[in-house]
Amino acid sequence: MPKENRTERATPYRRKRLREEGNVAKSLEIATAGTILVGTIVIFFVGHLFFYKILKLFWNASSNPFIGASVILAQVKDDILPLILPFFILTVLVVVLTHIAQFGFIFTLKPIQPKLERLNPFEGFKRIFSLTTLFELLKNSLKVFLLMLVAYFFFRSELGKLIRIYSNDLTLSIKDFLIFTFKLVIFVGVVALFIALLDYAYKRWDYERKIRMSKEEVKEEYKQQEGNPMIKGAIRKRMRQLAKGRMLQEVPKASVVITNPTHIAIAMRYSPEEGDKAPVVLAKGKGQVAERIVEVATINQVPIVRREALARALYPAVEVGEEIPPKFYRAVAEIIAFVMARRRRLAV
């Protein structure tokens, strides 16, 4: 299907299926920039302690050439691991949270399942020399250029302070240099995060473009999800036939049938003995259905009264099985009273 024919937004079902496969819009740049920023901040606050522990380890190892490996490993476990482990956990946490922030929580193994097309060297060459790969190369090159440009302007603005570092004593120079490095990394990291957000916005736009569907695909999916329209139409027709059959079975119980004269027919029952507070519509119909109602009523000797205006007004106002609205009480009561009076006269 040509891509120019994919003009429809992806349906919720398609989005759900792609999400289950791990196919979502995401930018790895956000995780990288977030890791750099958080890692730099952590190193700024605990880096001196980590540096001191490393120097202590090397000093102990160099000052005593006969020190055992078990002693060094114990020192690493007691002094260095407690500092590295939280940093590692924090880094993993940042990566996980940045991905969850982009597309929510997804757990699926489908992206890592083996696929034969991945082993096809021709497919590999096509991916390497594709327009997408070329675009990613240009995008990363541009990003590196922008970060180098940002670093250059930062160096240029801080050049005076950087030169004065070498005129101070060693301890103060090291401190000033570390602060300068920290500010540089933070500044570059913030710019990298901004670029990553732009990259994510583009990835979202590109993802929505790629998952677009053609009108034919939308129709086919609808058929799969909701069923073939022809089959559903046949089912609805059969249900209407069954409902009409059940409705016609109720006509013999009616007290009267109001017609227009054969275009509309409404069969009603009013039996206070059965708990009817108002006349209840047992059946109604137009055209052939109305003719069948009149036919069944005639066979079962149900009174048929012609009231064109009342039939037209009553038909859309009440459904089968419902009581008639109060505004029709007077007109229907007159008809039922007339029918009951005629029955009494015939009985005499």
Side-chain angles (χ1 to χ4, degrees):
M1 183 68 62
K3 288 189 177 181
E4 55 268 18
N5 292 334
R6 299 181 183 272
T7 57
E8 306 301 313
R9 288 177 58 86
T11 59
Y13 174 75
R14 177 173 171 80
R15 294 177 185 275
K16 179 182 178 182
R17 185 159 49 85
L18 291 173
R19 183 179 176 85
E20 290 174 351
E21 295 174 356
N23 188 350
V24 292
K26 59 181 178 293
S27 174
L28 300 178
E29 310 291 341
I30 295 181
T32 303
T35 303
I36 291 175
L37 283 174
V38 174
T40 303
I41 294 173
V42 172
I43 290 176
F44 178 78
F45 287 103
V46 300
H48 65 284
L49 183 59
F50 182 74
F51 184 71
Y52 169 75
K53 296 292 184 181
I54 292 292
L55 286 180
K56 181 181 177 182
L57 176 64
F58 278 103
W59 175 260
N60 292 337
S62 60
S63 61
N64 187 1
F66 302 103
I67 190 172
S70 59
V71 177
I72 296 178
L73 291 176
Q75 189 173 353
V76 169
K77 184 187 70 172
D78 297 336
D79 295 342
I80 298 179
L81 278 183
L83 296 176
I84 294 179
L85 190 59
F87 179 77
F88 175 76
I89 294 175
L90 184 62
T91 302
V92 173
L93 189 63
V94 169
V95 173
V96 172
L97 291 178
T98 52
H99 281 80
I100 292 178
Q102 293 181 70
F103 48 78
F105 181 78
I106 301 176
F107 180 77
T108 176
L109 299 177
K110 289 187 177 181
I112 61 175
Q113 289 179 353
K115 295 182 179 180
L116 293 178
E117 57 266 24
R118 294 177 180 174
L119 303 177
N120 190 340
F122 296 103
E123 292 294 330
F125 280 117
K126 285 172 62 177
R127 287 193 296 269
I128 292 174
F129 297 103
S130 65
L131 291 177
T132 303
T133 304
L134 178 61
F135 174 79
E136 290 293 327
L137 178 62
L138 293 176
K139 183 192 72 175
N140 291 329
S141 300
L142 180 61
K143 183 182 72 172
V144 172
F145 173 76
L146 289 175
L147 293 179
M148 291 178 64
L149 194 64
V150 167
Y152 166 75
F153 282 109
F154 183 82
F155 266 106
R156 187 174 177 179
S157 63
E158 299 287 330
L159 186 59
K161 295 180 181 179
L162 188 61
I163 293 176
R164 286 195 297 271
I165 288 177
Y166 295 99
S167 61
N168 298 328
D169 62 284
L170 181 60
T171 304
L172 188 59
S173 296
I174 293 175
K175 179 182 177 182
D176 291 340
F177 181 76
L178 291 176
I179 293 175
F180 171 81
T181 305
F182 171 76
K183 291 168 61 178
L184 173 63
V185 175
I186 289 294
F187 188 71
V188 173
V190 170
V191 175
L193 182 61
F194 177 73
I195 295 174
L197 292 175
L198 293 178
D199 178 67
Y200 174 67
Y202 168 77
K203 290 288 180 63
R204 289 276 300 185
W205 172 84
D206 188 53
Y207 177 77
E208 291 294 331
R209 179 183 62 85
K210 289 180 178 179
I211 67 173
R212 281 184 175 273
M213 305 171 65
S214 65
K215 288 183 172 62
E216 290 74 15
E217 288 175 329
V218 174
K219 292 179 182 178
E220 187 63 29
E221 182 181 292
Y222 175 78
K223 289 180 182 179
Q224 295 176 358
Q225 293 299 305
E226 302 294 335
N228 192 303
M230 295 181 64
I231 297 176
K232 291 185 68 178
I235 293 174
R236 285 195 295 267
K237 182 179 179 180
R238 180 57 180 164
M239 291 179 66
R240 286 195 297 268
Q241 291 175 346
L242 293 174
K244 184 173 68 175
R246 289 192 297 269
M247 184 176 65
L248 292 175
Q249 292 175 3
E250 297 294 319
V251 173
K253 304 176 184 178
S255 303
V256 65
V257 174
I258 300 174
T259 65
N260 180 29
T262 56
H263 298 92
I264 296 176
I266 303 173
M268 289 182 293
R269 182 197 68 203
Y270 179 64
S271 178
E273 295 81 6
E274 297 184 18
D276 294 342
K277 298 180 180 179
V280 179
V281 175
L282 299 181
K284 72 172 188 175
K286 292 182 178 180
Q288 294 181 351
V289 178
E291 294 176 0
R292 286 287 297 145
I293 291 175
V294 172
E295 182 181 342
V296 174
T298 303
I299 294 173
N300 291 274
Q301 299 181 349
V302 176
I304 301 173
V305 179
R306 178 174 175 177
R307 293 290 190 275
E308 291 88 346
L310 179 60
R312 285 196 300 267
L314 191 59
Y315 186 86
V318 64
E319 297 297 330
V320 175
E322 296 180 354
E323 295 181 351
I324 65 172
K327 63 180 180 179
F328 297 107
Y329 282 177
R330 184 181 181 86
V332 174
E334 291 177 355
I335 294 174
I336 293 178
F338 168 75
V339 169
M340 293 177 66
R342 189 172 66 175
R343 282 182 175 177
R344 283 194 295 268
R345 287 196 302 269
L346 293 176
V348 175

